[in-house]
Amino acid sequence: MPFARSSGSAPTPALSPSWLKGGLDAVLYSSTWLALAALGLTWATFLFWQVHIPWRLGIMIFTATLFLYNLDSVLPYKHSQPVALSGRKSWMRAHRRGLFFLAMVALAVAGALFLWDGWQHLIGFIGHLAVISLLYSLPIAKVKGRWWALRDFPLLKVFLIAYVWAAVTVWIPALYLHRSLLDPVVGVLFARRFLFILALAFVFDIRDYSKDLLIGTRTFPGVFGVKATKLVALAALVGAAVLVPIGMPVHHQTVFLLPLLLAAGVIWFADESRSDYYFALLADGVMVVQFLVVWLASKFLL
């Protein structure tokens, strides 16, 4: 809707498509949307146990995700890779300083909340997740004249992503609620979340198919082909669908299939030629839908 005009002054323009696109790009490519997804999945775990998410823990998860993903996006070696720039990569390159500043602010907030809530007794557990997340992109070994991060080791990166996301969004809430990680319900929730994230991680391997081939990273699409990768991803979703926590009502089970069906559609139609928005908005958005479905079920389904 246009702003009101004052007499004798130039009209103030309404929100233009370019302004809206710039705002959408900022939310998606600064990893804010992804950090909201991490917060949502963590919240969904608390909702399963019918407990309100502690706001400080929620902000810690949100800012820690912002830090890790924006740190990854500004690493110098990634900007020197011999690949064609997509709109997403071009935006990140143009905003490297801002993304680095955002990462540092997010780190400061996450670190302060970590200390405030006294998570130091779990420094070993949380520390191993932080190490995996950092070494996922930071070069750690020289192989055939090229420095490799964990993500460069053949077929490994999707499993690392699924493990860290499942651990953060299921195990950390369980630990906060003083539940044993060996509890069968915790195990089922973790496995279900692991397979859900694993399926979506394959989508991003499909997006990066040509780039990974060019730089020598062996992923599932590069080794087995895109179609086979999609079938493995769909199999992971089937595994997530059949892993139902004991005692979950049947009507909840039916409703909770919706995010899995949406994920299946995103996987099936994934192709590296698709728009950056397909992956950043839709593929990551399935995780937000997962939270919304759980939240609505907790509000309206008894």
Side-chain angles (χ1 to χ4, degrees):
M1 179 177 177
F3 292 103
R5 302 181 185 180
S6 59
S7 178
S9 63
T12 303
L15 298 181
S16 66
S18 62
W19 190 94
L20 292 173
K21 181 180 183 300
L24 180 61
D25 288 350
V27 170
L28 296 178
Y29 303 150
S30 68
S31 297
T32 302
W33 182 239
L34 192 64
L36 285 171
L39 170 60
L41 290 179
T42 306
W43 194 343
T45 303
F46 277 98
L47 287 172
F48 174 80
W49 281 308
Q50 300 179 350
V51 177
H52 291 294
I53 185 173
W55 69 267
R56 291 196 300 271
L57 176 59
I59 294 175
M60 187 178 79
I61 298 296
F62 176 83
T63 52
T65 306
L66 267 185
F67 162 67
L68 290 168
Y69 277 87
N70 281 304
L71 178 67
D72 175 80
S73 68
V74 301
L75 290 175
Y77 86 95
K78 298 190 73 172
H79 290 272
S80 62
Q81 291 175 338
V83 295
L85 288 180
S86 63
R88 177 178 61 93
K89 287 291 187 181
S90 296
W91 189 95
M92 290 178 174
R93 176 170 289 187
H95 296 84
R96 281 182 71 186
R97 289 186 178 181
L99 292 176
F100 180 76
F101 177 76
L102 178 60
M104 293 301 101
V105 172
L107 175 62
V109 173
L113 291 172
F114 177 87
L115 296 174
W116 186 1
D117 272 352
W119 287 92
Q120 294 92 321
H121 66 291
L122 293 175
I123 188 67
F125 171 79
I126 295 178
H128 96 277
L129 298 177
V131 168
I132 292 173
S133 299
L134 289 171
L135 296 185
Y136 175 81
S137 294
L138 293 175
I140 58 173
K142 202 167 188 178
V143 180
K144 297 179 180 179
R146 181 171 71 89
W147 283 99
W148 284 22
L150 285 179
R151 61 178 294 154
D152 295 312
F153 287 88
L155 309 180
L156 183 60
K157 69 177 187 176
V158 289
F159 297 103
L160 294 175
I161 293 170
Y163 172 73
V164 171
W165 273 75
V168 168
T169 63
V170 174
W171 279 349
I172 287 181
L175 290 171
Y176 185 90
L177 296 173
H178 305 292
R179 293 180 175 271
S180 170
L181 300 188
L182 300 179
D183 185 323
V185 172
V186 176
V188 170
L189 288 175
F190 176 87
R192 183 183 177 97
R193 186 67 48 78
F194 177 90
L195 291 172
F196 177 63
I197 298 298
L198 179 66
L200 292 175
F202 283 122
V203 173
F204 294 94
D205 271 0
I206 293 171
R207 179 196 66 184
D208 296 336
Y209 174 67
S210 294
K211 184 206 77 170
D212 287 334
L213 284 179
L214 184 62
I215 64 176
T217 299
R218 302 186 68 192
T219 61
F220 273 81
V223 175
F224 302 108
V226 171
K227 185 175 181 180
T229 300
K230 290 182 179 182
L231 294 176
V232 173
L234 293 175
L237 288 181
V238 172
V242 300
L243 285 171
V244 178
I246 297 174
M248 179 182 286
V250 174
H251 55 288
H252 279 214
Q253 296 176 31
T254 303
V255 171
F256 290 171
L257 288 177
L258 176 60
L260 301 182
L261 292 174
L262 291 175
V266 171
I267 291 165
W268 188 252
F269 293 105
D271 185 86
E272 64 174 335
S273 64
R274 289 197 176 275
S275 163
D276 288 324
Y277 294 139
Y278 183 89
F279 299 98
L281 184 60
L282 294 183
D284 288 339
V286 171
M287 293 186 282
V288 178
V289 172
Q290 173 91 318
F291 158 70
L292 291 175
V293 167
V294 174
W295 183 79
L296 289 171
S298 71
K299 292 292 184 181
F300 301 109
L301 296 180
L302 299 179

PDB file of all heavy atoms in Angstrom, residues 80-115:
ATOM      1  N   SER A  80      37.465 -18.407  -3.421  1.00  0.00           N
ATOM      2  CA  SER A  80      38.480 -18.547  -4.480  1.00  0.00           C
ATOM      3  C   SER A  80      38.293 -19.814  -5.298  1.00  0.00           C
ATOM      4  O   SER A  80      39.101 -20.105  -6.177  1.00  0.00           O
ATOM      5  CB  SER A  80      39.884 -18.548  -3.848  1.00  0.00           C
ATOM      6  OG  SER A  80      40.050 -19.657  -2.973  1.00  0.00           O
ATOM      7  N   GLN A  81      37.210 -20.564  -5.014  1.00  0.00           N
ATOM      8  CA  GLN A  81      36.970 -21.794  -5.762  1.00  0.00           C
ATOM      9  C   GLN A  81      36.583 -21.477  -7.209  1.00  0.00           C
ATOM     10  O   GLN A  81      35.848 -20.515  -7.467  1.00  0.00           O
ATOM     11  CB  GLN A  81      35.858 -22.613  -5.097  1.00  0.00           C
ATOM     12  CG  GLN A  81      36.265 -23.204  -3.760  1.00  0.00           C
ATOM     13  CD  GLN A  81      35.110 -23.914  -3.077  1.00  0.00           C
ATOM     14  OE1 GLN A  81      33.946 -23.658  -3.354  1.00  0.00           O
ATOM     15  NE2 GLN A  81      35.440 -24.812  -2.152  1.00  0.00           N
ATOM     16  N   PRO A  82      37.083 -22.269  -8.169  1.00  0.00           N
ATOM     17  CA  PRO A  82      36.843 -21.993  -9.589  1.00  0.00           C
ATOM     18  C   PRO A  82      35.459 -22.450 -10.051  1.00  0.00           C
ATOM     19  O   PRO A  82      35.324 -23.392 -10.827  1.00  0.00           O
ATOM     20  CB  PRO A  82      37.949 -22.799 -10.273  1.00  0.00           C
ATOM     21  CG  PRO A  82      38.147 -23.976  -9.379  1.00  0.00           C
ATOM     22  CD  PRO A  82      37.938 -23.456  -7.968  1.00  0.00           C
ATOM     23  N   VAL A  83      34.415 -21.806  -9.520  1.00  0.00           N
ATOM     24  CA  VAL A  83      33.057 -22.181  -9.889  1.00  0.00           C
ATOM     25  C   VAL A  83      32.280 -20.946 -10.290  1.00  0.00           C
ATOM     26  O   VAL A  83      32.606 -19.828  -9.896  1.00  0.00           O
ATOM     27  CB  VAL A  83      32.339 -22.882  -8.707  1.00  0.00           C
ATOM     28  CG1 VAL A  83      33.011 -24.199  -8.372  1.00  0.00           C
ATOM     29  CG2 VAL A  83      32.307 -21.975  -7.481  1.00  0.00           C
ATOM     30  N   ALA A  84      31.243 -21.163 -11.097  1.00  0.00           N
ATOM     31  CA  ALA A  84      30.391 -20.050 -11.507  1.00  0.00           C
ATOM     32  C   ALA A  84      29.602 -19.543 -10.303  1.00  0.00           C
ATOM     33  O   ALA A  84      29.152 -20.322  -9.462  1.00  0.00           O
ATOM     34  CB  ALA A  84      29.446 -20.510 -12.607  1.00  0.00           C
ATOM     35  N   LEU A  85      29.444 -18.227 -10.217  1.00  0.00           N
ATOM     36  CA  LEU A  85      28.745 -17.638  -9.093  1.00  0.00           C
ATOM     37  C   LEU A  85      27.238 -17.665  -9.325  1.00  0.00           C
ATOM     38  O   LEU A  85      26.746 -17.169 -10.338  1.00  0.00           O
ATOM     39  CB  LEU A  85      29.210 -16.197  -8.878  1.00  0.00           C
ATOM     40  CG  LEU A  85      30.624 -16.003  -8.309  1.00  0.00           C
ATOM     41  CD1 LEU A  85      30.909 -14.524  -8.158  1.00  0.00           C
ATOM     42  CD2 LEU A  85      30.768 -16.698  -6.970  1.00  0.00           C
ATOM     43  N   SER A  86      26.507 -18.243  -8.373  1.00  0.00           N
ATOM     44  CA  SER A  86      25.051 -18.174  -8.403  1.00  0.00           C
ATOM     45  C   SER A  86      24.631 -16.846  -7.782  1.00  0.00           C
ATOM     46  O   SER A  86      25.455 -16.092  -7.250  1.00  0.00           O
ATOM     47  CB  SER A  86      24.458 -19.330  -7.600  1.00  0.00           C
ATOM     48  OG  SER A  86      24.848 -19.218  -6.233  1.00  0.00           O
ATOM     49  N   GLY A  87      23.330 -16.556  -7.832  1.00  0.00           N
ATOM     50  CA  GLY A  87      22.846 -15.353  -7.183  1.00  0.00           C
ATOM     51  C   GLY A  87      23.130 -15.370  -5.691  1.00  0.00           C
ATOM     52  O   GLY A  87      23.485 -14.359  -5.092  1.00  0.00           O
ATOM     53  N   ARG A  88      23.005 -16.545  -5.089  1.00  0.00           N
ATOM     54  CA  ARG A  88      23.282 -16.689  -3.651  1.00  0.00           C
ATOM     55  C   ARG A  88      24.739 -16.395  -3.342  1.00  0.00           C
ATOM     56  O   ARG A  88      25.060 -15.624  -2.428  1.00  0.00           O
ATOM     57  CB  ARG A  88      22.922 -18.112  -3.218  1.00  0.00           C
ATOM     58  CG  ARG A  88      23.222 -18.439  -1.756  1.00  0.00           C
ATOM     59  CD  ARG A  88      22.762 -19.861  -1.445  1.00  0.00           C
ATOM     60  NE  ARG A  88      23.472 -20.835  -2.268  1.00  0.00           N
ATOM     61  CZ  ARG A  88      24.590 -21.461  -1.878  1.00  0.00           C
ATOM     62  NH1 ARG A  88      25.115 -21.210  -0.687  1.00  0.00           N
ATOM     63  NH2 ARG A  88      25.168 -22.356  -2.654  1.00  0.00           N
ATOM     64  N   LYS A  89      25.644 -16.990  -4.116  1.00  0.00           N
ATOM     65  CA  LYS A  89      27.066 -16.768  -3.884  1.00  0.00           C
ATOM     66  C   LYS A  89      27.460 -15.321  -4.145  1.00  0.00           C
ATOM     67  O   LYS A  89      28.292 -14.743  -3.433  1.00  0.00           O
ATOM     68  CB  LYS A  89      27.883 -17.711  -4.775  1.00  0.00           C
ATOM     69  CG  LYS A  89      27.862 -19.174  -4.345  1.00  0.00           C
ATOM     70  CD  LYS A  89      28.620 -19.378  -3.057  1.00  0.00           C
ATOM     71  CE  LYS A  89      28.752 -20.852  -2.719  1.00  0.00           C
ATOM     72  NZ  LYS A  89      29.473 -21.067  -1.444  1.00  0.00           N
ATOM     73  N   SER A  90      26.864 -14.726  -5.177  1.00  0.00           N
ATOM     74  CA  SER A  90      27.163 -13.326  -5.478  1.00  0.00           C
ATOM     75  C   SER A  90      26.723 -12.423  -4.336  1.00  0.00           C
ATOM     76  O   SER A  90      27.432 -11.480  -3.957  1.00  0.00           O
ATOM     77  CB  SER A  90      26.468 -12.907  -6.784  1.00  0.00           C
ATOM     78  OG  SER A  90      26.969 -13.644  -7.872  1.00  0.00           O
ATOM     79  N   TRP A  91      25.550 -12.704  -3.777  1.00  0.00           N
ATOM     80  CA  TRP A  91      25.060 -11.901  -2.651  1.00  0.00           C
ATOM     81  C   TRP A  91      26.000 -12.052  -1.463  1.00  0.00           C
ATOM     82  O   TRP A  91      26.342 -11.067  -0.800  1.00  0.00           O
ATOM     83  CB  TRP A  91      23.658 -12.353  -2.261  1.00  0.00           C
ATOM     84  CG  TRP A  91      22.988 -11.445  -1.270  1.00  0.00           C
ATOM     85  CD1 TRP A  91      22.132 -10.409  -1.537  1.00  0.00           C
ATOM     86  CD2 TRP A  91      23.132 -11.494   0.164  1.00  0.00           C
ATOM     87  NE1 TRP A  91      21.737  -9.816  -0.374  1.00  0.00           N
ATOM     88  CE2 TRP A  91      22.332 -10.455   0.690  1.00  0.00           C
ATOM     89  CE3 TRP A  91      23.850 -12.297   1.038  1.00  0.00           C
ATOM     90  CZ2 TRP A  91      22.233 -10.204   2.059  1.00  0.00           C
ATOM     91  CZ3 TRP A  91      23.765 -12.050   2.398  1.00  0.00           C
ATOM     92  CH2 TRP A  91      22.958 -11.015   2.898  1.00  0.00           C
ATOM     93  N   MET A  92      26.422 -13.272  -1.171  1.00  0.00           N
ATOM     94  CA  MET A  92      27.319 -13.500  -0.038  1.00  0.00           C
ATOM     95  C   MET A  92      28.656 -12.801  -0.242  1.00  0.00           C
ATOM     96  O   MET A  92      29.217 -12.209   0.694  1.00  0.00           O
ATOM     97  CB  MET A  92      27.542 -15.005   0.167  1.00  0.00           C
ATOM     98  CG  MET A  92      26.333 -15.745   0.694  1.00  0.00           C
ATOM     99  SD  MET A  92      26.657 -17.524   0.850  1.00  0.00           S
ATOM    100  CE  MET A  92      25.149 -18.070   1.655  1.00  0.00           C
ATOM    101  N   ARG A  93      29.171 -12.851  -1.470  1.00  0.00           N
ATOM    102  CA  ARG A  93      30.444 -12.185  -1.743  1.00  0.00           C
ATOM    103  C   ARG A  93      30.305 -10.680  -1.565  1.00  0.00           C
ATOM    104  O   ARG A  93      31.208 -10.030  -1.022  1.00  0.00           O
ATOM    105  CB  ARG A  93      30.909 -12.522  -3.161  1.00  0.00           C
ATOM    106  CG  ARG A  93      32.188 -11.806  -3.577  1.00  0.00           C
ATOM    107  CD  ARG A  93      32.748 -12.346  -4.872  1.00  0.00           C
ATOM    108  NE  ARG A  93      33.312 -13.682  -4.701  1.00  0.00           N
ATOM    109  CZ  ARG A  93      33.988 -14.323  -5.648  1.00  0.00           C
ATOM    110  NH1 ARG A  93      34.156 -13.772  -6.839  1.00  0.00           N
ATOM    111  NH2 ARG A  93      34.474 -15.540  -5.408  1.00  0.00           N
ATOM    112  N   ALA A  94      29.183 -10.127  -1.989  1.00  0.00           N
ATOM    113  CA  ALA A  94      28.979  -8.679  -1.884  1.00  0.00           C
ATOM    114  C   ALA A  94      28.770  -8.237  -0.438  1.00  0.00           C
ATOM    115  O   ALA A  94      28.966  -7.051  -0.116  1.00  0.00           O
ATOM    116  CB  ALA A  94      27.777  -8.261  -2.729  1.00  0.00           C
ATOM    117  N   HIS A  95      28.382  -9.156   0.435  1.00  0.00           N
ATOM    118  CA  HIS A  95      28.069  -8.801   1.831  1.00  0.00           C
ATOM    119  C   HIS A  95      28.974  -9.541   2.814  1.00  0.00           C
ATOM    120  O   HIS A  95      28.575  -9.781   3.958  1.00  0.00           O
ATOM    121  CB  HIS A  95      26.604  -9.109   2.125  1.00  0.00           C
ATOM    122  CG  HIS A  95      25.628  -8.308   1.328  1.00  0.00           C
ATOM    123  ND1 HIS A  95      25.235  -8.669   0.055  1.00  0.00           N
ATOM    124  CD2 HIS A  95      24.976  -7.146   1.606  1.00  0.00           C
ATOM    125  CE1 HIS A  95      24.369  -7.783  -0.403  1.00  0.00           C
ATOM    126  NE2 HIS A  95      24.203  -6.845   0.499  1.00  0.00           N
ATOM    127  N   ARG A  96      30.194  -9.854   2.406  1.00  0.00           N
ATOM    128  CA  ARG A  96      31.079 -10.640   3.271  1.00  0.00           C
ATOM    129  C   ARG A  96      31.355  -9.946   4.603  1.00  0.00           C
ATOM    130  O   ARG A  96      31.326 -10.570   5.660  1.00  0.00           O
ATOM    131  CB  ARG A  96      32.413 -10.922   2.561  1.00  0.00           C
ATOM    132  CG  ARG A  96      32.346 -12.054   1.558  1.00  0.00           C
ATOM    133  CD  ARG A  96      33.708 -12.307   0.933  1.00  0.00           C
ATOM    134  NE  ARG A  96      34.633 -12.917   1.878  1.00  0.00           N
ATOM    135  CZ  ARG A  96      35.916 -13.134   1.628  1.00  0.00           C
ATOM    136  NH1 ARG A  96      36.426 -12.780   0.452  1.00  0.00           N
ATOM    137  NH2 ARG A  96      36.689 -13.713   2.513  1.00  0.00           N
ATOM    138  N   ARG A  97      31.603  -8.652   4.569  1.00  0.00           N
ATOM    139  CA  ARG A  97      31.899  -7.943   5.822  1.00  0.00           C
ATOM    140  C   ARG A  97      30.700  -7.958   6.757  1.00  0.00           C
ATOM    141  O   ARG A  97      30.839  -8.180   7.964  1.00  0.00           O
ATOM    142  CB  ARG A  97      32.322  -6.511   5.524  1.00  0.00           C
ATOM    143  CG  ARG A  97      33.701  -6.394   4.874  1.00  0.00           C
ATOM    144  CD  ARG A  97      34.110  -4.942   4.731  1.00  0.00           C
ATOM    145  NE  ARG A  97      35.447  -4.820   4.144  1.00  0.00           N
ATOM    146  CZ  ARG A  97      36.053  -3.670   3.922  1.00  0.00           C
ATOM    147  NH1 ARG A  97      35.437  -2.531   4.218  1.00  0.00           N
ATOM    148  NH2 ARG A  97      37.262  -3.650   3.396  1.00  0.00           N
ATOM    149  N   GLY A  98      29.528  -7.714   6.195  1.00  0.00           N
ATOM    150  CA  GLY A  98      28.330  -7.734   7.019  1.00  0.00           C
ATOM    151  C   GLY A  98      28.058  -9.104   7.600  1.00  0.00           C
ATOM    152  O   GLY A  98      27.659  -9.233   8.762  1.00  0.00           O
ATOM    153  N   LEU A  99      28.283 -10.144   6.812  1.00  0.00           N
ATOM    154  CA  LEU A  99      28.069 -11.505   7.300  1.00  0.00           C
ATOM    155  C   LEU A  99      29.071 -11.863   8.396  1.00  0.00           C
ATOM    156  O   LEU A  99      28.726 -12.545   9.372  1.00  0.00           O
ATOM    157  CB  LEU A  99      28.182 -12.496   6.140  1.00  0.00           C
ATOM    158  CG  LEU A  99      27.067 -12.417   5.089  1.00  0.00           C
ATOM    159  CD1 LEU A  99      27.351 -13.391   3.943  1.00  0.00           C
ATOM    160  CD2 LEU A  99      25.706 -12.717   5.709  1.00  0.00           C
ATOM    161  N   PHE A 100      30.316 -11.404   8.237  1.00  0.00           N
ATOM    162  CA  PHE A 100      31.318 -11.659   9.273  1.00  0.00           C
ATOM    163  C   PHE A 100      30.937 -10.942  10.565  1.00  0.00           C
ATOM    164  O   PHE A 100      31.035 -11.520  11.663  1.00  0.00           O
ATOM    165  CB  PHE A 100      32.694 -11.211   8.801  1.00  0.00           C
ATOM    166  CG  PHE A 100      33.786 -11.435   9.815  1.00  0.00           C
ATOM    167  CD1 PHE A 100      34.290 -12.704  10.039  1.00  0.00           C
ATOM    168  CD2 PHE A 100      34.286 -10.378  10.562  1.00  0.00           C
ATOM    169  CE1 PHE A 100      35.281 -12.927  10.986  1.00  0.00           C
ATOM    170  CE2 PHE A 100      35.289 -10.588  11.507  1.00  0.00           C
ATOM    171  CZ  PHE A 100      35.784 -11.866  11.717  1.00  0.00           C
ATOM    172  N   PHE A 101      30.483  -9.694  10.448  1.00  0.00           N
ATOM    173  CA  PHE A 101      30.061  -8.943  11.631  1.00  0.00           C
ATOM    174  C   PHE A 101      28.882  -9.641  12.304  1.00  0.00           C
ATOM    175  O   PHE A 101      28.853  -9.791  13.531  1.00  0.00           O
ATOM    176  CB  PHE A 101      29.674  -7.516  11.226  1.00  0.00           C
ATOM    177  CG  PHE A 101      29.149  -6.688  12.365  1.00  0.00           C
ATOM    178  CD1 PHE A 101      30.002  -6.170  13.322  1.00  0.00           C
ATOM    179  CD2 PHE A 101      27.779  -6.447  12.480  1.00  0.00           C
ATOM    180  CE1 PHE A 101      29.508  -5.415  14.391  1.00  0.00           C
ATOM    181  CE2 PHE A 101      27.276  -5.698  13.540  1.00  0.00           C
ATOM    182  CZ  PHE A 101      28.145  -5.181  14.494  1.00  0.00           C
ATOM    183  N   LEU A 102      27.913 -10.099  11.508  1.00  0.00           N
ATOM    184  CA  LEU A 102      26.764 -10.812  12.054  1.00  0.00           C
ATOM    185  C   LEU A 102      27.210 -12.083  12.761  1.00  0.00           C
ATOM    186  O   LEU A 102      26.701 -12.424  13.837  1.00  0.00           O
ATOM    187  CB  LEU A 102      25.782 -11.145  10.925  1.00  0.00           C
ATOM    188  CG  LEU A 102      24.526 -11.941  11.304  1.00  0.00           C
ATOM    189  CD1 LEU A 102      23.692 -11.187  12.327  1.00  0.00           C
ATOM    190  CD2 LEU A 102      23.698 -12.250  10.060  1.00  0.00           C
ATOM    191  N   ALA A 103      28.161 -12.792  12.174  1.00  0.00           N
ATOM    192  CA  ALA A 103      28.666 -14.019  12.795  1.00  0.00           C
ATOM    193  C   ALA A 103      29.301 -13.728  14.153  1.00  0.00           C
ATOM    194  O   ALA A 103      29.093 -14.471  15.121  1.00  0.00           O
ATOM    195  CB  ALA A 103      29.670 -14.695  11.869  1.00  0.00           C
ATOM    196  N   MET A 104      30.076 -12.638  14.248  1.00  0.00           N
ATOM    197  CA  MET A 104      30.741 -12.316  15.505  1.00  0.00           C
ATOM    198  C   MET A 104      29.749 -11.887  16.582  1.00  0.00           C
ATOM    199  O   MET A 104      29.888 -12.252  17.761  1.00  0.00           O
ATOM    200  CB  MET A 104      31.776 -11.211  15.268  1.00  0.00           C
ATOM    201  CG  MET A 104      32.960 -11.646  14.389  1.00  0.00           C
ATOM    202  SD  MET A 104      33.898 -13.063  15.069  1.00  0.00           S
ATOM    203  CE  MET A 104      33.235 -14.424  14.087  1.00  0.00           C
ATOM    204  N   VAL A 105      28.748 -11.107  16.189  1.00  0.00           N
ATOM    205  CA  VAL A 105      27.712 -10.722  17.153  1.00  0.00           C
ATOM    206  C   VAL A 105      26.960 -11.951  17.629  1.00  0.00           C
ATOM    207  O   VAL A 105      26.699 -12.120  18.833  1.00  0.00           O
ATOM    208  CB  VAL A 105      26.740  -9.702  16.518  1.00  0.00           C
ATOM    209  CG1 VAL A 105      25.544  -9.454  17.435  1.00  0.00           C
ATOM    210  CG2 VAL A 105      27.466  -8.384  16.225  1.00  0.00           C
ATOM    211  N   ALA A 106      26.623 -12.835  16.701  1.00  0.00           N
ATOM    212  CA  ALA A 106      25.905 -14.058  17.062  1.00  0.00           C
ATOM    213  C   ALA A 106      26.743 -14.923  17.998  1.00  0.00           C
ATOM    214  O   ALA A 106      26.217 -15.511  18.956  1.00  0.00           O
ATOM    215  CB  ALA A 106      25.535 -14.836  15.799  1.00  0.00           C
ATOM    216  N   LEU A 107      28.040 -15.011  17.738  1.00  0.00           N
ATOM    217  CA  LEU A 107      28.930 -15.786  18.615  1.00  0.00           C
ATOM    218  C   LEU A 107      28.947 -15.204  20.019  1.00  0.00           C
ATOM    219  O   LEU A 107      28.897 -15.943  21.016  1.00  0.00           O
ATOM    220  CB  LEU A 107      30.344 -15.802  18.030  1.00  0.00           C
ATOM    221  CG  LEU A 107      31.414 -16.463  18.901  1.00  0.00           C
ATOM    222  CD1 LEU A 107      31.095 -17.930  19.141  1.00  0.00           C
ATOM    223  CD2 LEU A 107      32.792 -16.311  18.261  1.00  0.00           C
ATOM    224  N   ALA A 108      29.016 -13.880  20.105  1.00  0.00           N
ATOM    225  CA  ALA A 108      29.046 -13.233  21.423  1.00  0.00           C
ATOM    226  C   ALA A 108      27.760 -13.512  22.202  1.00  0.00           C
ATOM    227  O   ALA A 108      27.797 -13.819  23.402  1.00  0.00           O
ATOM    228  CB  ALA A 108      29.246 -11.729  21.251  1.00  0.00           C
ATOM    229  N   VAL A 109      26.627 -13.430  21.526  1.00  0.00           N
ATOM    230  CA  VAL A 109      25.347 -13.681  22.193  1.00  0.00           C
ATOM    231  C   VAL A 109      25.237 -15.142  22.618  1.00  0.00           C
ATOM    232  O   VAL A 109      24.865 -15.450  23.757  1.00  0.00           O
ATOM    233  CB  VAL A 109      24.171 -13.292  21.272  1.00  0.00           C
ATOM    234  CG1 VAL A 109      22.839 -13.709  21.899  1.00  0.00           C
ATOM    235  CG2 VAL A 109      24.185 -11.795  20.990  1.00  0.00           C
ATOM    236  N   ALA A 110      25.565 -16.059  21.699  1.00  0.00           N
ATOM    237  CA  ALA A 110      25.481 -17.482  22.021  1.00  0.00           C
ATOM    238  C   ALA A 110      26.428 -17.830  23.175  1.00  0.00           C
ATOM    239  O   ALA A 110      26.067 -18.595  24.082  1.00  0.00           O
ATOM    240  CB  ALA A 110      25.812 -18.316  20.785  1.00  0.00           C
ATOM    241  N   GLY A 111      27.651 -17.285  23.140  1.00  0.00           N
ATOM    242  CA  GLY A 111      28.612 -17.553  24.208  1.00  0.00           C
ATOM    243  C   GLY A 111      28.140 -17.030  25.553  1.00  0.00           C
ATOM    244  O   GLY A 111      28.288 -17.706  26.584  1.00  0.00           O
ATOM    245  N   ALA A 112      27.562 -15.822  25.556  1.00  0.00           N
ATOM    246  CA  ALA A 112      27.063 -15.243  26.803  1.00  0.00           C
ATOM    247  C   ALA A 112      25.931 -16.076  27.384  1.00  0.00           C
ATOM    248  O   ALA A 112      25.878 -16.334  28.598  1.00  0.00           O
ATOM    249  CB  ALA A 112      26.597 -13.810  26.553  1.00  0.00           C
ATOM    250  N   LEU A 113      25.019 -16.536  26.536  1.00  0.00           N
ATOM    251  CA  LEU A 113      23.905 -17.350  27.012  1.00  0.00           C
ATOM    252  C   LEU A 113      24.379 -18.729  27.473  1.00  0.00           C
ATOM    253  O   LEU A 113      23.823 -19.303  28.420  1.00  0.00           O
ATOM    254  CB  LEU A 113      22.860 -17.497  25.905  1.00  0.00           C
ATOM    255  CG  LEU A 113      22.106 -16.205  25.557  1.00  0.00           C
ATOM    256  CD1 LEU A 113      21.231 -16.413  24.325  1.00  0.00           C
ATOM    257  CD2 LEU A 113      21.254 -15.749  26.742  1.00  0.00           C
ATOM    258  N   PHE A 114      25.393 -19.255  26.809  1.00  0.00           N
ATOM    259  CA  PHE A 114      25.986 -20.535  27.227  1.00  0.00           C
ATOM    260  C   PHE A 114      26.496 -20.433  28.660  1.00  0.00           C
ATOM    261  O   PHE A 114      26.268 -21.329  29.488  1.00  0.00           O
ATOM    262  CB  PHE A 114      27.117 -20.900  26.267  1.00  0.00           C
ATOM    263  CG  PHE A 114      27.855 -22.160  26.617  1.00  0.00           C
ATOM    264  CD1 PHE A 114      27.402 -23.395  26.183  1.00  0.00           C
ATOM    265  CD2 PHE A 114      29.022 -22.112  27.381  1.00  0.00           C
ATOM    266  CE1 PHE A 114      28.076 -24.563  26.522  1.00  0.00           C
ATOM    267  CE2 PHE A 114      29.710 -23.268  27.711  1.00  0.00           C
ATOM    268  CZ  PHE A 114      29.234 -24.499  27.280  1.00  0.00           C
ATOM    269  N   LEU A 115      27.181 -19.335  28.969  1.00  0.00           N
ATOM    270  CA  LEU A 115      27.719 -19.146  30.315  1.00  0.00           C
ATOM    271  C   LEU A 115      26.619 -18.804  31.307  1.00  0.00           C
ATOM    272  O   LEU A 115      26.634 -19.275  32.454  1.00  0.00           O
ATOM    273  CB  LEU A 115      28.777 -18.042  30.297  1.00  0.00           C
ATOM    274  CG  LEU A 115      30.028 -18.330  29.454  1.00  0.00           C
ATOM    275  CD1 LEU A 115      30.919 -17.096  29.401  1.00  0.00           C
ATOM    276  CD2 LEU A 115      30.794 -19.521  30.011  1.00  0.00           C
TER     277      LEU A 115
END
